[in-house]
Amino acid sequence: MTYLINGQIESICVEYQRDRHRLLDIIRSVQQKFGYISDEAIDEIARCCSIPRVEVDSTISFYGYLSKQPRGRITIRLCNDIIDRLQGMERVAAAFREVLGIDFGRTTADGNFSLEYAPCIGMCDQGPAALVNDVVVTKLTGDGAREMIRDLREHMDPHRLVRTLGDGNNAHELISAMVNNNIRQRGEVIFSEFHPGEALRKALSMSPVEVIKEIKTSRLRGRGGAGFPTGMKWEFTRGAAGPNKYVICNADEGEPGTFKDRVLLTECPEMVFEGMAIAGYAIGAEQGIVYLRGEYAYLNNYLEQVLQKLRKQGMLGARFCSTKHCFNFDIRIQMGAGAYICGEETALISSCEGLRGDPKNRPPFPAQKGYLENPTCVNNVETLCCVVRILEKGAAWFSQLGTTDSPGTKLLSISGDCRRPGVYELPFGVKLSEVLKLAGADNAAAVQVGGASGQMVGSADFHKPISYEGLATGGSIMVFGPHRNVLEIAHYFLEFFIDESCGYCTPCRVGNTLLLERLEQIIEGRGEPADLDYLQQLGQSIKALSRCGLGQTSPNPVLSTLKNFKPVYEQLVKVNPQGFRSSFDINRALEEASRITERRSVIYE
Amino acid sequence: MAKPRVATTSLAGCFGCHMSILDIDDRILKLVELVDFDKSPIDDFKTFTGRCAVGLIEGGCCNEENVHVLQDFRQHCDILISLGDCATMGGIPALRNTIPLRECLEEAYLHGPSVYNPSGRIPNDPEIPLLLNKVYPCHEVVKIDYHLPGCPPSADTIWETLVALLSDKPVQLPYELIKYD
Ligand SMILES: Cc1cc2nc3c(=O)[nH]c(=O)nc-3n(C[C@H](O)[C@H](O)[C@H](O)COP(=O)(O)O)c2cc1C
Ligand code: SF4
Ligand code: SF4
Ligand code: FES
């Protein structure tokens, strides 16, 4: 038996040339085949790839979707992120618990079902949502959940849960998902008529340096969150020494409340791949990688088919020539495995290299030393789409859209307490209040702009523009009505960061836990005014001392609610006149000893 | 004018921090010119005799009596200082914080390799203060005004701090006094 299993594992390793840099793919395939990665399987993978066993082990332990314990034949991952909570996720969770007779984090005795929670799976405009193995189910209800389990018990085939197909390519036979695009507003840049191949041909009629100059002239800035000028990044990568350069498309889309890249990958993958090819031509790379978040595995087959089609058309995988220049470029898809930190570009590179998704020290920056130590350019999905349109229609056309510092349009993923959640393409500079009006968020009291790592703003800031210089966002806009508690939302986001921190640096690993502890005391009414200064100071220290963007933004939910919703905090805290800490409860602290000794306190009773 | 009063106590500590207070050597003569000691192991006063300017706390809180004493200090002292790592962070006693209380007691009184306890009982006299579920640093129990880190903080650190406080000047601790590696 072991012999047989080992044979199968060996052939998986051989499929990936026993390359330790494809370890994540190897582990994923083993899990796909056997449901989990056993100790024996770890031994065998280590042997086949000639690496220490602990490397395999630690890689598995890093990723949320990899498991060393047997899991059910069907794993249900229910999104318990903040937006789904507002949409009734608790009722769905209760229904699952009831019909399966297990709690979350458990597997049924018959080995058929495992229940897990997952942070935002990118379906916020159609939640509550869950992944059933790779199949997405949306708009869940308690009854829906019960019915789903009844059906699954009959056929054990998650694909048969999809009865109504979604709009657009979601209905394509290789996707067959019930997901909807919900494109509510089409703008000039992304969602306008597209002629595949035109931009690439135009690029090839120019020299790589001219292409970079065109992107610089357009003043395009990265759409993934940080807003770094794309042309400059390309120039650095082109100028860095190294024979094999890489273009990586960041399709990790892990920021809670963001789902616009999913829609781009569903509706315009040709545009994304063409953008990658243009980037490759500009920086001098022949290879590209799309890092696709594990949650979007249902798009994988379709994307592979589009890649095949482009190869057949000669645009990828072979010499592609215009009248002036020829070049060679191909793309592979790297599947992620459930880790928010892997959206951070250096962690993403680690993950592509088959390692734990730990961020790397910078410098060297990826442009100097990225994937396998080669100069690497990492760009967001939407950035690459903008590139295509800039080449097609010209830098001058692009830069007159939006504002001076934020040219072009932005895709916004809007969810929460609004009537029309979905994807909106709007020019930069649009006021938040206008965005809210479009989305039917008449009652908005608080808006989280930029996801968990962004900021919570109140109505005093609704007049501000969406832009890098105003309210910055990688796309996430989460709307909260007046009946929502902003401190509980901040509390949830902190928990999210604590879960997703890679744990390398103390300020991020320990600091956020301390922030959460103090925030909880305040929420429970045991806080003091001085605690607000404590939150502020600790939050600033975490931002200043953390190594990567996760830690540097993790205190934002607390800091921005402290800034914009101070009265909510102030109402909850009060001075303890004796100078005792209200958060310390002597009776609670003595309970255990009382139980063990079977006597009561003589001092405090 | 009456001299300001200083109180000190050792909670869940090893008395090392108090030893460090004594390490100010002959400066202790200067200190008694500056202050009167109130409740403190140094003069063996068991209870407060009046309002104090400064209270120095060694050790965190591991039992109900520690909490009681600390609260008493808070009520009698204008300024409370957490003296040493046990007071500021729990220190060595807080190593038990990850282990359930019952296991700690069983290890200490029944199963530990060096235990000789023919009665097979865990001491449970009503005189023994009840243990807290974990060891708390002082600032989680009462408001603490200043923290002096170190295990123990050096005599010079303690001296400089006290003199600065009593003469109402900013504390200036040179780098060598607060560098620990
Ligand atoms: C914790 C963390 C998560 C991130 N997640 C993403 C993501 O999911 N998608 C993305 O494009 N960028 C993400 N980023 C930003 C990337 O590090 C990087 O800046 C971006 O991919 C660069 O592409 P751009 O210049 O085209 O925006 C993340 C950053 C951090 C710190
Ligand atoms: S800031 Fe957080 S996520 Fe980033 S490297 Fe440090 S511990 Fe890891
Ligand atoms: S800090 Fe060090 S010297 Fe002071 S009580 Fe604790 S262990 Fe003893
Ligand atoms: S899918 Fe649940 S919050 Fe995004």
Side-chain angles (χ1 to χ4, degrees):
Chain A
M1 187 62 192
T2 312
Y3 179 74
L4 269 180
I5 290 176
N6 285 355
Q8 293 183 48
I9 289 176
E10 173 137 26
S11 59
I12 289 173
C13 295
V14 167
E15 195 186 317
Y16 293 102
Q17 291 86 44
R18 302 175 186 272
D19 182 356
R20 71 100 47 249
H21 296 301
R22 301 302 297 276
L23 186 58
L24 190 52
D25 302 271
I26 293 171
I27 296 171
R28 279 188 64 101
S29 301
V30 171
Q31 170 150 315
Q32 195 121 40
K33 193 147 215 153
F34 303 104
Y36 72 110
I37 308 116
S38 64
D39 276 335
E40 296 75 39
I42 294 176
D43 286 333
E44 185 60 9
I45 296 171
R47 191 187 65 78
C48 292
C49 299
S50 311
I51 49 175
R53 160 178 223 292
V54 64
E55 277 186 32
V56 185
D57 206 344
S58 93
T59 305
I60 296 168
S61 72
F62 187 87
Y63 295 95
Y65 286 8
L66 303 179
S67 172
K68 283 172 63 180
Q69 265 70 51
R71 283 211 181 142
R73 282 203 280 156
I74 292 177
T75 298
I76 298 170
R77 292 197 174 83
L78 178 65
C79 168
N80 71 341
D81 215 311
I82 198 75
I83 295 296
D84 280 22
R85 290 180 189 209
L86 312 186
Q87 301 181 97
M89 159 284 198
E90 286 295 350
R91 282 193 298 278
V92 180
F96 277 133
R97 272 195 214 102
E98 174 205 312
V99 279
L100 290 173
I102 52 168
D103 209 339
F104 282 79
R106 305 266 159 195
T107 300
T108 52
D110 59 9
N112 279 342
F113 294 95
S114 294
L115 265 186
E116 308 270 337
Y117 281 126
C120 183
I121 59 173
M123 303 290 158
C124 333
D125 55 340
Q126 44 208 299
L131 286 166
V132 183
N133 291 348
D134 283 349
V135 175
V136 181
V137 282
T138 59
K139 295 202 169 147
L140 274 163
T141 57
D143 286 342
R146 275 181 275 269
E147 193 185 322
M148 185 174 126
I149 299 299
R150 229 183 358 257
D151 291 353
L152 283 173
R153 281 193 172 129
E154 257 166 46
H155 52 62
M156 290 303 281
D157 179 6
H159 293 278
R160 285 172 60 185
L161 296 174
V162 182
R163 298 222 182 83
T164 331
L165 294 173
D167 58 350
N169 279 337
N170 290 300
H172 188 283
E173 55 174 4
L174 287 178
I175 299 182
S176 297
M178 63 170 84
V179 179
N180 274 307
N181 292 324
N182 291 334
I183 303 173
R184 308 270 180 184
Q185 176 101 20
R186 293 172 183 270
E188 283 185 71
V189 179
I190 307 283
F191 293 125
S192 60
E193 210 190 328
F194 166 57
H195 309 284
E198 213 173 290
L200 181 57
R201 261 186 292 275
K202 186 133 168 234
L204 290 186
S205 71
M206 302 153 76
S207 74
V209 174
E210 282 167 349
V211 174
I212 293 179
K213 182 143 175 279
E214 184 77 1
I215 298 300
K216 283 177 85 173
T217 312
S218 77
R219 302 198 311 279
L220 171 65
R221 295 171 68 173
R223 280 7 185 185
F228 194 82
T230 308
M232 208 191 284
K233 193 189 280 187
W234 287 14
E235 197 168 58
F236 290 152
T237 321
R238 178 164 187 83
N244 301 311
K245 294 179 180 166
Y246 285 86
V247 173
I248 297 184
C249 168
N250 188 342
D252 195 53
E253 190 156 69
E255 191 64 54
T258 319
F259 45 87
K260 46 103 189 167
D261 290 343
R262 157 177 55 83
V263 175
L264 287 176
L265 293 164
T266 309
E267 291 308 314
C268 0
E270 292 88 351
M271 202 195 289
V272 180
F273 297 147
E274 194 169 331
M276 290 178 74
I278 294 170
Y281 176 68
I283 67 168
E286 297 197 337
Q287 292 176 73
I289 301 173
V290 176
Y291 189 87
L292 184 64
R293 71 183 304 207
E295 291 79 350
Y296 295 168
Y298 74 100
L299 294 173
N300 193 24
N301 288 342
Y302 175 66
L303 294 175
E304 289 288 1
Q305 192 213 35
V306 175
L307 286 175
Q308 267 310 336
K309 190 180 79 189
L310 293 175
R311 287 185 194 114
K312 273 208 196 105
Q313 292 172 355
M315 275 176 58
L316 286 180
R319 278 167 73 76
F320 183 73
C321 299
S322 74
T323 43
K324 277 197 179 162
H325 302 275
C326 285
F327 107 116
N328 195 355
F329 188 76
D330 207 349
I331 293 172
R332 80 168 167 93
I333 296 175
Q334 173 70 57
M335 290 298 309
Y340 167 68
I341 187 62
C342 287
E344 194 282 331
E345 57 184 8
T346 60
L348 179 147
I349 289 170
S350 300
S351 186
C352 288
E353 291 169 342
L355 308 169
R356 294 161 56 86
D358 289 323
K360 299 175 193 257
N361 286 336
R362 291 183 295 189
F365 290 90
Q368 303 159 289
K369 274 194 174 149
Y371 181 63
L372 304 177
E373 305 269 289
N374 297 299
T376 303
C377 169
V378 182
N379 277 126
N380 172 256
V381 176
E382 185 185 345
T383 312
L384 292 162
C385 289
C386 293
V387 161
V388 173
R389 307 322 292 251
I390 291 166
L391 265 288
E392 213 181 309
K393 298 190 170 182
W397 162 81
F398 183 84
S399 63
Q400 49 85 34
L401 298 166
T403 72
T404 315
D405 287 328
S406 313
T409 60
K410 183 77 195 82
L411 292 189
L412 301 177
S413 331
I414 305 180
S415 63
D417 294 323
C418 60
R419 278 178 286 117
R420 289 183 292 277
V423 176
Y424 293 73
E425 181 182 358
L426 297 166
F428 269 121
V430 62
K431 289 197 176 70
L432 179 56
S433 53
E434 295 168 56
V435 174
L436 294 174
K437 205 154 147 202
L438 281 172
D442 319 318
N443 227 351
V447 181
Q448 181 82 19
V449 182
S453 68
Q455 46 176 327
M456 181 76 94
V457 299
S459 54
D461 287 324
F462 288 178
H463 67 283
K464 289 192 178 160
I466 302 285
S467 62
Y468 296 105
E469 64 278 17
L471 299 170
T473 173
S476 174
I477 304 265
M478 298 187 251
V479 184
F480 301 102
H483 52 305
R484 312 295 184 184
N485 180 339
V486 289
L487 298 200
E488 268 166 24
I489 298 166
H491 181 272
Y492 170 75
F493 286 146
L494 262 185
E495 281 184 327
F496 167 76
F497 285 124
I498 289 169
D499 276 354
E500 299 293 333
S501 161
C502 83
Y504 176 90
C505 28
T506 315
C508 171
R509 186 187 64 247
V510 178
N512 284 315
T513 306
L514 292 176
L515 268 187
L516 181 74
E517 193 179 82
R518 198 58 67 100
L519 182 62
E520 273 172 2
Q521 291 171 1
I522 294 172
I523 292 175
E524 289 169 12
R526 296 183 287 129
E528 294 165 38
D531 290 340
L532 306 188
D533 300 330
Y534 172 89
L535 290 181
Q536 181 74 29
Q537 283 167 14
L538 178 58
Q540 277 163 349
S541 304
I542 297 171
K543 278 174 87 86
L545 299 174
S546 290
R547 176 167 70 153
C548 86
L550 189 150
Q552 287 158 11
T553 57
S554 57
N556 285 355
V558 171
L559 294 178
S560 66
T561 44
L562 259 180
K563 174 162 169 259
N564 299 325
F565 296 87
K566 192 84 175 251
V568 181
Y569 284 91
E570 283 169 344
Q571 270 171 18
L572 288 167
V573 294
K574 49 187 174 302
V575 180
N576 184 315
Q578 292 172 293
F580 299 172
R581 296 273 324 166
S582 313
S583 54
F584 179 76
D585 181 347
I586 183 71
N587 294 319
R588 227 194 266 182
L590 287 175
E591 258 170 30
E592 205 176 340
S594 269
R595 219 175 22 247
I596 294 171
T597 59
E598 295 177 349
R599 61 191 164 93
R600 310 187 72 81
S601 167
V602 281
I603 307 176
Y604 288 99
E605 287 282 325
Chain B
M1 205 179 79
K3 284 189 276 183
R5 305 180 73 76
V6 172
T8 77
T9 188
S10 175
L11 306 176
C14 74
F15 262 96
C17 289
H18 272 79
M19 290 301 160
S20 204
I21 299 178
L22 296 181
D23 266 350
I24 60 175
D25 295 334
D26 56 340
R27 284 173 291 188
I28 199 142
L29 298 175
K30 240 195 222 155
L31 189 61
V32 288
E33 273 171 30
L34 282 172
V35 303
D36 280 332
F37 275 94
D38 200 293
K39 179 176 159 75
S40 168
I42 293 174
D43 56 12
D44 214 18
F45 281 20
K46 305 289 189 212
T47 51
F48 278 99
T49 61
R51 185 93 202 141
C52 291
V54 181
L56 291 171
I57 315 288
E58 166 187 322
C61 293
C62 77
N63 65 29
E64 56 178 339
E65 198 225 352
N66 295 157
V67 174
H68 190 61
V69 172
L70 183 57
Q71 290 178 335
D72 201 22
F73 264 69
R74 182 69 273 176
Q75 286 179 311
H76 283 91
C77 303
D78 296 340
I79 290 170
L80 273 195
I81 302 179
S82 269
L83 182 66
D85 289 346
C86 293
T88 50
M89 300 185 286
I92 304 275
L95 282 176
R96 80 155 155 104
N97 284 4
T98 54
I99 303 164
L101 188 54
R102 185 185 291 274
E103 263 179 57
C104 289
L105 289 169
E106 286 175 354
E107 183 69 12
Y109 292 107
L110 304 179
H111 309 316
S114 61
V115 171
Y116 175 73
N117 180 4
S119 78
R121 276 199 298 265
I122 295 172
N124 191 10
D125 192 277
E127 290 277 294
I128 304 173
L130 288 178
L131 291 173
L132 305 181
N133 58 340
K134 59 175 191 169
V135 176
Y136 292 80
C138 295
H139 66 269
E140 288 189 11
V141 177
V142 301
K143 176 172 183 280
I144 295 289
D145 302 286
Y146 298 99
H147 295 87
L148 275 189
C151 178
S154 68
D156 288 342
T157 313
I158 298 171
W159 173 253
E160 292 297 332
T161 308
L162 276 179
V163 169
L165 268 180
L166 294 168
S167 53
D168 207 16
K169 291 205 182 98
V171 188
Q172 276 173 350
L173 296 175
Y175 179 64
E176 305 79 64
L177 291 187
I178 45 168
K179 171 179 169 292
Y180 298 101
D181 52 1

